[in-house]
């Protein structure tokens, strides 16, 4: 089939599809021309159906690159640009990426890499197209094991996510979706997909600048925005004017909002839709409407049509209402598995249901309450941080016996990682810290170290992070 | 998976899903209770996965029955209630229907049939659910051969049709879709599917009463309506007031609207979306927006996202812009084929493209213009009439040698069927007519007979209906 952008350009050629900066706009026809040109430039580099990695920032050019790769029928591996070079190297190897396309500012080391500037000076060639069941995009997330895994999103997944969202929040042909979240996260990438599927414009921001976004919300320059809790807090901090009535929906992800925030939004008539989702569900999977927000404080809403949720106990049986268990999800937006990792895929699914690892319950009206994010997940400024990944790096230092990492509450970031470390021999904290910073992205760097003689473990010898978390958060009160 | 209605009732239990008559409303929760009760009553009659036929009118109970069958995981065969008993018998046999559920007013003859009243007095049993790739509904249409074929629509087909429509005309959570078209046609059935998928209400009408519908359009009792050309004409005939601003979209099917009608709608600010579709595409496949209606007079619009259209010449090659050929369609809303008829299915498709049999062209902007409906199709009051089917019945009379049927233009119905008959021996027109009326639905009865000595045929001996059509329509001027 033709690419989604190609079809959209045929359907709505003169509709604006992208706003960026103060004055720059592109119609869907212009976007398609840009993407087609890039696709023709990339095509000569393509040798297989393995992924092509993108290492980019939130630029219009990145939007065109993403669509260009859809025209060539290769999955795109979206590299988180905050990672360390070692982390990038892991993902490139694990995904068997055939090529990296990168912005010049990034110092990527890879066998086959081409900068966008070099690409733009190449020659042209014919291009291919995709089928809906093809893998469209890959994003790596870590799990309990600490090894990042490549989550595959098919075109069908993205399509189902886009339709479920539209049936929930409505679809207005003149909508403008504001994208200040990274394109390499599912939250940002999915906005680009919705844009071509719905035929609506994206307003792209290079970064989250609360004053700029506040002004756009007041001036009616966007109708929908996706944010994480810390972004919402920053918006509330600068809010001094009513938002324009054209603005109709704020999708809030990245952990539940605290009660005071929900109430402030209600008082200020900010249409907040709290949501729960993950890379594996191609973005939001459940959403709570503003109408229910105060009545169901702390809830994450109901699954988007036609997704399904069930809560399962440790014996694999369905939990009754209001009983906590593991959250299982099923539906057309759920990933078909992890790239090149049949074992991880097999253990993540149970009869077609994805075991999220998150814990929660459904109340008597079917609203989901997420009690605890999976595997002691730390959510810091919207980024997911998996303790096991950081612990694994710390423990790899020869002077370290073992480590335990937990989230400490933080006004600005929601949570920040803190490391408990048991040493084998004397080690300077600075030395340890620089060992870690070489190997991990900045947002994963521990903000505090606690050196201790032993870590709390349960009878089976398993680390009990909950105790460390209680300790560190008690300290801070 | 759970049935769509079950999920919708879980998502929006208190939202009104159905309006009927002056005061009757049902929430999605109440609809689900009605449908569940019916499903439990029907379940004991179910012996296989073969279709269950429904012979019903536009009643709330019919809506619940349709959803009940989705809960039992059997396809529904929607019988056109205007057909003759012989036509019903053909469809029941051909589809291998295991059961007919009928309203008492209809005199159906079938091995296994149960009236709704009898059903309501039965006992209860457990129920099953469906998967999206299951066949959801079956509707018979005739083709060039004259034998009706059962078009299968899967849940996936209905879902794709609903999403394509929403991305085109927009989706408002408070929409009310007015349904005055028959539930046994794809135009009516698809409204019920959209209702549960979108979570919006249907306003159901037992029949098309232009005064009643005019009043509802004026009073803001509906926001979207599906009509055929003759219904629109009847609405224009009684229009004496401005429609309410809540009314935002009129989907017009059943053949292109004449220019004077398009202009009248423009003058009266009626938001008409002309469309092209068929039972095989689970309703509208292309739609023309009001914004383009006058600029593209006679066009049927562009395919709904992500459907595709191409125009193919007699050698199977793609036609250039503005060159007439056969219309091929492809996309997730297109049927997977004809029930129990592999041969018809195989000959209807070409490498995944459905050959519609209709003739038309795409202009330089990609707008579809339908030049001629398939196989000399006669469209009378929104019903499709296939000449070959009527000819076959007429020719089966012992005194008839052969027959040719064509459409004659008609103020009220758009077209009516006229029969050219060559006799073997003397035959009274009244005798012939009552022979036909026993065997065919009323709307297929010829309104005029022309007895002649021979029919126009081409060099290959094939009937040239076009000549008869010119003759009869010239006569009438």
């Amino acid at each position: 089939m033709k690419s989604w952008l190609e079809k959209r350009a045929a359907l709505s050629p003169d509709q604006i599809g992208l706003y960026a900066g103060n004055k720059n706009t592109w119609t869907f026809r212009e976007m398609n021309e840009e993407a087609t040109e890039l696709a023709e430039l990339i095509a000569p580099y393509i040798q297989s159906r393995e992924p092509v990695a993108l290492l980019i920032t939130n630029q219009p050019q990145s939007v065109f690159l993403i669509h260009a790769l859809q025209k060539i029928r290769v999955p795109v591996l979206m590299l988180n640009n905050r990672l360390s070079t070692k982390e990038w190297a892991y993902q490139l190897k694990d995904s068997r990426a055939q090529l990296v396309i990168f912005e010049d500012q990034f110092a990527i080391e890879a066998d086959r890499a081409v900068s966008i500037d070099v690409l733009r000076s190449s020659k042209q060639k014919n291009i291919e197209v995709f089928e809906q069941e093809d893998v469209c995009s890959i994003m790596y997330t870590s799990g309990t094991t600490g090894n990042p895994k490549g989550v595959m999103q098919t075109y069908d997944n993205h399509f189902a996510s886009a339709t479920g969202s539209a049936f929930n929040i409505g679809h207005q042909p003149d909508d403008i979706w504001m994208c200040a979240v990274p394109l390499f996260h599912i939250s940002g990438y999915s906005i680009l997909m919705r844009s071509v599927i719905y035929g609506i414009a994206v307003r792209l921001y290079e970064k989250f600048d609360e004053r700029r976004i506040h002004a756009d919300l007041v001036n009616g320059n966007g109708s929908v925005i996706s944010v994480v809790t810390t972004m919402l807090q920053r918006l509330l901090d600068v809010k001094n004017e009513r938002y324009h009535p054209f603005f109709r929906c704020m999708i809030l992800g990245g952990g539940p909002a605290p009660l005071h925030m929900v109430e402030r939004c209600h008082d200020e008539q900010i249409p907040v839709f709290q949501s729960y989702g993950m890379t594996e569900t191609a973005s939001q999977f459940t959403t709570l409407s503003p109408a229910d927000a105060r009545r169901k404080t702390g809830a994450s809403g109901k699954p988007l049509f036609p997704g399904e949720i069930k809560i399962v106990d440790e014996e694999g049986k369905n939990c009754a209402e209001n009983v906590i268990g593991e959250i299982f999800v099923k539906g057309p937006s759920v990933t078909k598995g992890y790239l090149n990792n049949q074992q991880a895929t097999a253990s993540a699914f149970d009869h077609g249901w994805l075991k999220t690892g998150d814990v929660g319950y459904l109340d008597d009206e079917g609203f989901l309450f997420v009690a605890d994010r999976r595997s002691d997940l730390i959510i810091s400024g919207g980024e997911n941080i998996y303790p096991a990944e950081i612990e694994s790096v710390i423990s790899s230092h020869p002077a370290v016996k073992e480590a335990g990492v937990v989230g400490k509450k933080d006004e600005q970031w929601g949570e920040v990682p803190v490391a408990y470390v048991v040493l084998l021999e004397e080690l300077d904290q600075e030395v340890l810290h620089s060992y870690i910073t070489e190997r991990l992205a900045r947002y994963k760097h521990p903000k505090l170290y606690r050196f201790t003689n032993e870590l709390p473990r349960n009878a089976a010898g398993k680390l009990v992070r909950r105790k460390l978390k209680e300790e560190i958060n008690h300290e801070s009160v």
Side-chain angles (χ1 to χ4, degrees), chain A residues 180-255:
Chain A
V181 287
L183 293 176
F184 53 75
H185 275 183
I186 189 61
S187 54
Y189 194 94
S190 63
I191 294 172
L192 299 188
M193 299 301 97
R194 292 184 197 123
S195 161
V196 285
I197 293 171
Y198 303 164
I200 61 161
V202 172
R203 187 177 294 281
L204 186 68
Y205 299 87
E206 291 187 36
K207 61 190 178 58
F208 187 84
D209 174 343
E210 56 268 36
R211 284 172 206 286
R212 167 106 188 274
I213 289 172
H214 174 75
D216 281 346
L217 290 172
V218 167
N219 294 325
N221 291 334
S223 59
V224 183
I225 190 170
S226 301
V227 297
V228 295
T229 316
T230 49
M231 293 176 176
L232 173 53
Q233 186 58 58
R234 285 162 63 187
L235 278 172
L236 290 173
D237 289 345
V238 299
K239 189 165 188 295
N240 56 11
E241 237 181 308
R242 210 190 174 106
Y243 294 155
H244 193 280
F246 179 57
F247 173 62
R248 65 180 187 85
C249 176
M250 177 182 281
I251 307 273
L252 176 63

Side-chain angles (χ1 to χ4, degrees), chain A residues 77 197 208 257 338 431 451:
Chain A
L77 167 62
I197 293 171
F208 187 84
Y338 300 101
V431 175
F451 294 93

Side-chain angles (χ1 to χ4, degrees), chain A residues 17 27 68 70 115 198 256 417 419:
Chain A
T27 64
Q70 299 195 353
S115 78
Y198 303 164

Side-chain angles (χ1 to χ4, degrees), chain A residues 308-327:
Chain A
E308 295 178 69
I309 280 193
K310 65 177 182 181
I311 307 294
V312 177
D313 68 17
E314 293 190 357
E315 293 173 357
K317 289 183 185 146
N318 287 4
C319 293
E321 285 169 5
N322 295 311
V323 174
I324 288 187
E326 186 176 354
I327 302 169

Side-chain angles (χ1 to χ4, degrees), chain A residues 328-432:
Chain A
F328 281 37
V329 297
K330 187 181 178 183
S333 70
V334 175
T335 181
K336 61 182 190 180
Y338 300 101
L339 185 70
N340 304 329
N341 198 336
Q342 287 194 339
Q343 197 189 338
T345 302
S347 66
F349 285 90
D350 179 41
H351 293 89
W353 291 83
L354 175 74
K355 302 183 278 185
T356 65
D358 292 336
V359 167
Y361 64 92
L362 294 170
D363 76 1
D364 56 343
E365 292 182 70
F367 286 85
L368 176 71
F369 287 75
V370 181
D372 213 350
R373 291 302 296 250
R374 61 188 131 169
S375 22
D376 308 307
L377 183 66
I378 301 166
I379 304 184
S380 185
E383 289 279 0
N384 287 352
I385 302 176
Y386 295 85
E389 187 181 10
I390 305 176
E391 291 161 3
S392 155
V393 168
I394 301 175
S395 308
S396 71
H397 191 282
V400 172
K401 185 184 171 201
E402 55 182 8
V405 172
V406 293
K408 180 174 181 297
K409 282 186 186 141
D410 185 90
E411 278 290 311
Q412 188 183 359
W413 301 107
E415 284 184 306
V416 291
V418 171
Y420 282 80
V421 182
V422 181
L423 292 176
L424 288 169
E425 54 191 75
E426 206 171 311
L427 179 65
D428 191 73
Q429 179 175 319
E430 295 302 310
V431 175
L432 178 61

